[in-house]
């Protein structure tokens, strides 16, 4: 195990399609239409049919946003490099898009900011969706072409790479639950998509490793610790299924080269046949420098034999929630969900090569009628304080957690929620007409925290003690 850094590094994250303003990249650099844009416009399943076209116009305001990061004393930043931008439909590098990323990343680095780039944060081009999206194995090759273009044209300005963001969402939310693009509702399709995402991830990790010496390489999954609603044997079984479905389906193949056994049995003939050699290619956990966990909430579950996955998430009356209705603490009155899941993942996979963990996303949506003064986001400060504390506790208890990224810098396009006020995760507000940025109270709180921690880090450890 690498010895974890003396301090938890704290940064912030966002993703290209949520901020860029797709209308600008399409017009200015002839980028490809994304599957998400098409879905938002036509499915009827997104809030007010709102698309990522406007975003927050990062395309033109990149300099201002880099300066905001610097002003807030942030030195660690995660964003994504969009496949729909850097790759043309005929597989060539899109030089205009590459030029844009080069100037943005150079600006960030001139402020001493470490640039972490996710290679896929749901920016599938529409033409790839028409080929069947992640259900088509050929999309794996398209993704690898994108990775190769990034290695050749942008890697010198990136410090750390994450291959995928939340493959669970790209597979299950997108092809099983039908709440993300392309909005399908078929378990088998989701399992096929999941397999192709894992294969793309495995091959990309090998390609990055082979081509780059200096970079740290990781990938990102979303995790939700599952708690049984009661002590009954059935609810305990439901919690195990929920854990396998939400967490292990992507981690077990990555670290151990197999899918969770019980859940495979439950899926029965919905489980697609896979080539055994794929699993060897997928198993690259031991080659990662770090694994990123996105953590927002946990689940309380009850057994439900009528569900595909044998569990139902239950909600308790009066529980504390975000403006999107997501429970803040699961089960209620029990804050350490993050601490639990960090231990669970590390304990399970440390013997299969897991060396280091990051929390790559954590944050809370606050907005709408309950927040008439959007700049006063005190509950966000409380939420982040509690979660950073849990992260620090997990470190003290031996989990090699070295990075923590707040989600997100600036209010932006929140996928199926569009620009709905209730879905604002940012520490900086945006006027939706002028797109003017205004830091909220939490941004100043984080700035102060980072500056305090930096001063502390300058004191030699023996004096600090
Ligand atoms: C995604 C982000 C999203 C956030 C809040 C994560 O699932 O990676 O893109 O904005 O959750 O919903």
């Amino acid at each position: 195990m690498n010895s974890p850094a003396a301090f938890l590094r704290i940064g912030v994250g966002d993703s290209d399609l949520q901020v860029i303003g797709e209308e600008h990249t399409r017009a200015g650099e002839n980028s490809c239409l994304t599957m998400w844009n098409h879905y938002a416009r036509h499915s009827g399943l997104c809030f007010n049919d709102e698309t990522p076209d406007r975003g927050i116009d990062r395309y033109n305001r990149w300099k201002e946003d880099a300066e905001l990061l610097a002003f807030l004393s942030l030195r660690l930043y995660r964003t994504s490099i969009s496949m729909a931008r850097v790759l043309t439909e005929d597989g060539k590098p899109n030089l205009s898009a590459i030029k844009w990323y080069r100037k943005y990343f150079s600006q960030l680095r001139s402020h001493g900011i470490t640039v972490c780039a996710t290679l896929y944060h749901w920016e599938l081009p529409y033409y790839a969706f028409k080929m069947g999206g992640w259900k088509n194995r050929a999309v794996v090759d398209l993704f690898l072409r994108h990775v190769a273009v990034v290695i050749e044209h942008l890697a010198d300005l990136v410090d750390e790479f994450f291959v995928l963001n939340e493959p669970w969402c790209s597979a299950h939310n997108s092809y099983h639950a039908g709440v993300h693009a392309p909005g399908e509702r078929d378990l088998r399709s989701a399992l096929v998509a999941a397999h192709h995402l894992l294969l793309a991830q495995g091959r990309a990790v090998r390609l990055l490793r082979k081509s780059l010496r200096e970079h740290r390489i990781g990938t990102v999954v979303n995790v939700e610790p599952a708690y049984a609603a009661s002590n009954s044997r059935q609810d305990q079984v439901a919690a195990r299924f929920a854990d396998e479905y939400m967490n292990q389906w992507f981690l077990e193949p990555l670290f151990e080269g197999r899918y969770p056994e019980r859940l495979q049995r439950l899926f029965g003939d919905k489980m697609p046949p896979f080539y055994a050699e794929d699993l060897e290619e997928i198993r690259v956990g031991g080659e990662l420098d770090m694994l990123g966990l996105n953590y927002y909430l946990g689940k309380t579950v009850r057994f439900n034999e009528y569900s595909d996955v044998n569990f139902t998430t239950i909600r308790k009356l009066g529980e504390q929630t975000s403006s999107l209705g997501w429970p803040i603490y699961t089960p209620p009155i029990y804050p350490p969900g993050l601490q639990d899941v960090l231990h669970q993942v590390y304990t399970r996979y440390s013997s299969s090569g897991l060396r280091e963990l990051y929390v790559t996303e954590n944050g809370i949506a606050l907005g709408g009628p309950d927040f008439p003064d959007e700049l006063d986001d005190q509950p966000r400060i409380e939420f982040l304080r509690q979660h950073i504390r849990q992260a620090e506790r997990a470190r003290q208890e031996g989990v090699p957690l070295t990075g923590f990224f707040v989600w997100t810098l600036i209010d932006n396009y929140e996928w199926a929620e569009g620009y709905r006020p209730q879905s604002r995760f940012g520490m900086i507000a945006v006027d939706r007409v002028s797109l003017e940025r205004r830091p909220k109270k939490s941004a100043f709180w984080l700035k102060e925290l980072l500056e305090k921690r930096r001063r502390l880090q300058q004191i030699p450890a023996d004096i600090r003690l």
Side-chain angles (χ1 to χ4, degrees):
M1 181 182 98
N2 294 344
S3 64
F7 279 85
L8 180 65
R9 298 191 300 156
I10 298 179
V12 74
D14 62 26
S15 84
D16 196 85
L17 189 54
Q18 292 180 271
V19 296
I20 197 70
E22 195 177 333
E23 61 189 4
H24 302 296
T25 56
R26 304 247 306 129
E29 56 191 37
N30 201 18
S31 67
C32 300
L33 177 71
T34 58
M35 163 174 79
W36 254 100
N37 200 325
H38 176 83
Y39 170 79
R41 200 173 295 270
H42 300 289
S43 67
L45 295 172
C46 294
F47 179 74
N48 282 346
D49 299 333
E50 286 174 348
T51 72
D53 266 335
R54 192 137 195 253
I56 56 167
D57 192 11
R58 165 72 49 74
Y59 186 72
N60 291 303
R61 294 173 178 253
W62 55 275
K63 205 169 194 172
E64 178 187 347
D65 289 351
E67 264 145 32
L68 269 171
L69 277 159
F71 165 72
L72 295 176
S73 283
L74 283 153
R75 298 288 179 274
L76 181 66
Y77 171 58
R78 166 180 176 245
T79 190
S80 63
I81 300 177
S82 167
M83 179 176 173
R85 291 181 62 194
V86 305
L87 200 64
T88 63
E89 193 167 339
D90 52 11
K92 302 230 167 62
N94 180 336
L95 297 178
S96 314
I98 287 166
K99 198 163 153 203
W100 185 92
Y101 282 111
R102 291 198 67 82
K103 69 182 179 194
Y104 182 44
F105 291 171
S106 302
Q107 185 74 15
L108 292 164
R109 287 163 75 104
S110 74
H111 289 295
I113 294 168
T114 298
V115 177
C116 306
T118 309
L119 292 163
Y120 183 73
H121 200 126
W122 313 349
E123 298 103 347
L124 197 76
Y126 176 64
Y127 72 84
F129 154 74
K130 280 198 299 185
M131 292 162 55
W134 284 106
K135 290 183 297 179
N136 184 345
R137 201 174 165 102
V139 170
V140 173
D141 297 328
L142 278 182
F143 177 68
L144 285 170
R145 178 74 197 119
H146 160 61
V147 178
V149 168
V150 171
I151 291 174
E152 187 181 341
H153 295 271
L154 291 169
D156 59 319
L157 297 176
V158 174
D159 299 283
E160 309 194 7
F161 280 110
F162 295 105
V163 176
L164 298 181
N165 177 68
E166 303 190 353
W168 186 91
C169 288
S170 308
H172 292 291
N173 262 352
S174 306
Y175 295 92
H176 185 204
V179 295
H180 277 182
E184 277 189 39
R185 286 176 165 269
D186 176 52
L187 176 60
R188 192 185 166 90
S189 296
L191 296 172
V192 172
H195 186 75
H196 291 152
L197 281 151
L198 281 163
L199 188 61
Q201 173 177 270
R203 290 185 180 168
V205 167
R206 292 212 163 89
L207 180 60
L208 288 159
R209 272 274 166 258
K210 195 175 80 185
S211 320
L212 305 169
R213 294 269 167 275
E214 307 289 315
H215 294 71
R216 284 170 61 74
I217 295 163
T219 198
V220 173
V221 293
N222 51 312
V223 285
E224 293 187 10
Y227 302 93
S230 76
N231 287 332
S232 77
R233 215 187 72 78
Q234 282 201 316
D235 287 348
Q236 304 289 329
V237 169
R240 279 212 299 274
F241 277 131
D243 177 50
E244 290 193 355
Y245 178 63
M246 293 301 308
N247 308 319
Q248 313 307 339
W249 198 258
F250 290 88
L251 290 177
E252 209 167 302
L254 174 64
F255 285 98
E256 289 168 5
R258 57 164 188 261
Y259 286 105
E261 194 50 49
R262 262 187 303 254
L263 208 48
Q264 274 196 70
R265 275 204 303 276
L266 179 68
F267 291 159
D269 60 8
K270 300 226 175 67
M271 192 66 202
F274 298 126
Y275 306 111
E277 58 271 25
D278 284 355
L279 288 166
E280 261 322 295
E281 284 197 79
I282 284 171
R283 182 187 190 166
V284 288
E287 297 189 34
L288 301 177
D289 292 301
M290 69 290 189
L291 173 72
L293 305 182
N294 289 356
Y295 174 80
Y296 289 91
L297 72 168
K299 268 184 160 40
T300 304
V301 297
R302 178 156 284 161
F303 187 75
N304 175 1
E305 65 179 307
Y306 301 108
S307 136
D308 274 344
V309 282
N310 271 199
F311 72 85
T312 307
T313 304
I314 61 155
R315 307 299 303 275
K316 300 223 167 126
L317 269 182
E319 69 187 347
Q320 228 185 317
T321 63
S322 75
S323 300
L324 279 177
W326 297 5
I328 291 182
Y329 301 124
T330 313
I333 333 284
Y334 177 65
L338 173 60
Q339 205 177 328
D340 284 351
V341 83
L342 284 167
H343 278 290
Q344 286 164 11
V345 171
Y346 185 58
T347 311
R348 263 201 91 152
Y349 297 109
S350 56
S351 55
S352 331
L354 172 60
R355 286 192 286 271
E356 198 176 312
L357 286 163
Y358 285 175
V359 172
T360 24
E361 287 182 27
N362 178 245
I364 181 171
L366 299 173
D370 290 345
F371 289 86
D373 176 2
E374 63 174 348
L375 300 186
D376 183 4
D377 61 344
Q378 185 63 31
R380 174 169 289 113
I381 298 179
E382 287 315 316
F383 181 95
L384 291 173
R385 208 200 305 271
Q386 290 259 13
H387 285 83
I388 292 173
R389 203 170 282 158
Q390 289 181 48
E392 292 284 17
R393 285 208 192 108
R395 274 167 61 85
Q396 284 155 14
E397 291 158 0
V399 175
L401 173 75
T402 58
F404 186 105
F405 296 71
V406 175
W407 188 268
T408 184
L409 181 65
I410 308 178
D411 290 336
N412 56 40
Y413 180 70
E414 179 47 39
W415 308 113
E417 301 289 339
Y419 304 99
R420 188 177 160 215
Q422 283 83 347
S423 71
R424 293 180 180 151
F425 279 86
M427 291 183 294
I428 296 176
V430 166
D431 181 307
R432 288 291 334 144
V433 178
S434 66
L435 296 185
E436 183 203 339
R437 279 79 160 131
R438 284 176 308 159
K440 305 179 190 177
K441 202 166 161 186
S442 60
F444 293 108
W445 167 80
L446 187 68
K447 175 178 167 65
E448 209 179 304
L449 178 79
L450 293 171
E451 286 168 1
K452 231 189 274 167
R453 290 168 76 96
R454 209 155 290 140
R455 281 196 297 274
L456 206 60
Q457 282 170 49
Q458 277 152 13
I459 304 174
D462 46 345
I463 300 181
R464 219 186 295 138
L465 293 171

